[in-house]
Amino acid sequence: MKRFFHLLSTLLLASVALTSCLSSSDDEVTLYNDAAITAFSLGVINRYQHTTSATTGNDTVVKTSITGSNYKMTIDQLGMKIYNRDSLPTGCDAAHVLCSVSAKNSGGIALKLLNDSLYVWFNSSDSINFTQPRTFRIFATDGSYYRDYEVSVNVAQHQGTDFAWQLQADTTLLASFSGMKAVSLGGRLLAFGQVEGHTRVAASANGARWQLLSSSVSTPFSASAWQNVVVKDGFAYMLSDGQLYRTADGEQWQQQPCTEQLSQLVGAATKELFALGTDGQLKTSTDDGQTWANELLDDSLSLLPTQGLAVVSFPYAPIDSADYVLLVGNNGNHTCVWRKISQYGGAQKGGQWVNMTVNSSFAQNWLPLQQQLSLVCYEGQVLATGTGKTVYQTPDQGITWAENTTFALPATLTGNSHAMTTGNDHDLWVISSTGQVWQGMKR
């Protein structure tokens, strides 16, 4: 009880001090006698999943993250309970959760300690253990009233297997694209492709209705620019005729100052952009493309892929603040796979790229050559697809590959190539060369 009275006293003193500070001006402070939580949302949540190597049988932990705000928190004002109807995916770390809380009339917000009767002031920068329901106490600004809410964060205990695809659109607009890359940006789906000799962009908020976007750049983007699109920190970057551009919405583009001559933009990780230079070197930039440095390779530069390049990155569980970056493509004859581990906690430590390529004629579990390759991380699994109708999965971060039947493409998918991307943590999207748009998610 001492801690409770301390909190209440602090709130009252703060109210008195604020009133005193403004008493000599024309501004007035109104104190209220009611209290309620008006909004509650979750932050980014780490997710840990176990996978097993198809060749060694070794168990590996894959660390990814989900956007907690995509899982709406229901506020029951009568029952004074707050909870998420849609459970977080299995493996989510409910013991370390950041959240955002809003109170009516800016009332004070306190959190009851775990397994204790004491309360502390809520701090949105402190992670909270939600492995069991927690009590939030909201104080009226005049200190006369408080209200308690029981907050529960539900995490699925069993991995769902009922994955289904649904056709959202069959559009002639996207069918007119020659070649295509799909990304998720700013809450919308963007499709990049060649139209009449130039790269154009189409956008959709829900996958059903699409529109061709205009561009703020007067010079049309090159025919091959769609192959040079990557997403990082809420921006899509694109290389066109040696010039680097970026956009937050697919329409307003800014040319980025770039000191390096680049031939292809390859991919991105948490803190890095990757590209191939006109000198054939694999390069990295940590300042959004302004300056570039040559990457370290453990094998010959000539063994890098030259076609159908794609990159996927995800948090690397054994090391804090590190990415596992996977680069996949082909050299015209077989698939090439490289990987590196980048540490970005504290001083940047870009690791060495390691060649994991095995000639496909000698490998039983290797990724078949894919043109227009898409590489995504979904539900903790690294998936690859491109030509044909097969989705491949690597259970050991690029060492071996096998057909994935859980996320198998719909039987009625048309076209001989397709682009894949992830949506808001819940879904996969596939756009075919014939203009079909499919959404897939676990039920």
Side-chain angles (χ1 to χ4, degrees):
M1 290 296 293
K2 289 182 178 179
R3 183 68 62 89
F4 165 69
F5 285 120
H6 174 69
L7 289 174
L8 186 57
S9 299
T10 303
L11 180 66
L12 290 172
L13 286 172
S15 300
V16 172
L18 182 60
T19 304
S20 299
C21 289
L22 297 175
S23 60
S24 60
S25 70
D26 293 332
D27 296 325
E28 293 184 0
V29 174
T30 301
L31 301 180
Y32 298 89
N33 61 3
D34 55 351
I37 288 180
T38 57
F40 196 107
S41 63
L42 304 177
V44 175
I45 301 172
N46 289 329
R47 187 185 184 195
Y48 300 89
Q49 292 174 284
H50 291 264
T51 61
T52 304
S53 169
T55 54
T56 65
N58 293 334
D59 184 64
T60 301
V61 177
V62 178
K63 178 185 176 183
T64 57
S65 62
I66 68 164
T67 304
S69 59
N70 289 328
Y71 295 80
K72 183 180 178 180
M73 299 295 289
T74 297
I75 303 178
D76 178 2
Q77 298 289 4
L78 293 178
M80 291 186 289
K81 294 181 182 293
I82 301 175
Y83 56 94
N84 52 310
R85 294 180 183 272
D86 294 331
S87 296
L88 303 181
T90 56
C92 282
D93 182 10
H96 304 87
V97 178
L98 294 175
C99 60
S100 176
V101 186
S102 297
K104 186 176 182 180
N105 300 322
S106 300
I109 305 172
L111 172 67
K112 185 180 179 183
L113 295 178
L114 196 63
N115 302 318
D116 201 319
S117 60
L118 298 179
Y119 285 79
V120 295
W121 287 119
F122 166 73
N123 188 334
S124 60
S125 62
D126 292 338
S127 66
I128 299 175
N129 185 344
F130 278 109
T131 55
Q132 58 182 276
R134 302 298 301 273
T135 299
F136 281 74
R137 176 163 289 181
I138 313 303
F139 292 95
T141 53
D142 69 355
S144 65
Y145 174 74
Y146 69 81
R147 197 178 191 192
D148 286 345
Y149 290 80
E150 181 184 88
V151 180
S152 301
V153 174
N154 301 313
V155 179
Q157 300 303 307
H158 301 285
Q159 181 67 50
T161 58
D162 187 14
F163 181 88
W165 291 97
Q166 182 175 354
L167 182 64
Q168 297 292 357
D170 194 349
T171 167
T172 56
L173 170 60
L174 297 179
S176 68
F177 281 26
S178 176
M180 187 184 300
K181 184 159 188 177
V183 302
S184 179
L185 184 70
R188 296 194 299 175
L189 294 171
L190 299 185
F192 294 76
Q194 182 188 152
V195 180
E196 298 179 349
H198 301 290
T199 289
R200 298 295 304 272
V201 187
S204 174
N206 56 13
R209 296 182 178 181
W210 290 80
Q211 63 173 334
L212 201 61
L213 301 182
S214 59
S215 171
S216 61
V217 178
S218 58
T219 303
F221 295 123
S222 67
S224 62
W226 66 270
Q227 301 179 59
N228 297 273
V229 177
V230 302
V231 174
K232 174 182 173 291
D233 289 340
F235 289 96
Y237 292 78
M238 183 166 66
L239 187 69
S240 176
D241 291 326
Q243 302 297 319
L244 185 63
Y245 300 87
R246 80 173 186 177
T247 180
D249 59 12
E251 294 184 278
Q252 298 299 316
W253 293 84
Q254 298 83 38
Q255 185 173 341
Q256 296 295 98
C258 181
T259 60
E260 192 71 40
Q261 291 185 321
L262 305 176
S263 63
Q264 185 165 359
L265 197 58
V266 174
T270 300
K271 298 290 186 180
E272 297 172 282
L273 289 172
F274 304 107
L276 290 175
T278 55
D279 57 1
Q281 295 280 348
L282 181 60
K283 300 177 184 291
T284 183
S285 172
T286 57
D287 55 10
D288 298 327
Q290 297 184 54
T291 60
W292 297 79
N294 291 342
E295 289 279 66
L296 297 175
L297 309 179
D298 81 332
D299 213 332
S300 172
L301 190 67
S302 63
L303 298 178
L304 286 171
T306 57
Q307 304 173 32
L309 278 72
V311 163
V312 67
S313 68
F314 47 88
Y316 184 57
I319 302 175
D320 187 40
S321 300
D323 282 340
Y324 190 101
V325 189
L326 200 60
L327 166 63
V328 183
N330 70 84
N331 61 7
N333 296 313
H334 59 263
T335 301
C336 306
V337 179
W338 291 70
R339 65 91 172 152
K340 85 162 186 172
I341 297 171
S342 291
Q343 293 179 249
Y344 52 87
Q348 184 87 10
K349 298 177 182 178
Q352 176 178 256
W353 285 92
V354 177
N355 182 15
M356 298 194 292
T357 303
V358 178
N359 190 300
S360 59
S361 62
F362 299 103
Q364 294 181 346
N365 299 296
W366 194 242
L367 179 65
L369 189 150
Q370 303 286 308
Q371 298 295 350
Q372 195 176 313
L373 176 69
S374 293
L375 204 59
V376 302
C377 188
Y378 178 72
E379 293 289 319
Q381 308 295 324
V382 175
L383 306 177
T385 190
T387 47
K389 293 186 178 181
T390 303
V391 175
Y392 297 91
Q393 171 198 345
T394 173
D396 42 27
Q397 292 79 59
I399 299 174
T400 61
W401 299 81
E403 181 177 351
N404 181 291
T405 56
T406 301
F407 308 119
L409 296 177
T412 54
L413 176 74
T414 60
N416 56 13
S417 63
H418 43 271
M420 177 182 282
T421 189
T422 54
N424 60 354
D425 300 325
H426 301 284
D427 49 9
L428 277 175
W429 291 90
V430 165
I431 306 175
S432 75
S433 56
T434 61
Q436 287 188 346
V437 181
W438 291 84
Q439 180 188 26
M441 62 170 43
K442 288 190 174 182
R443 307 302 182 182

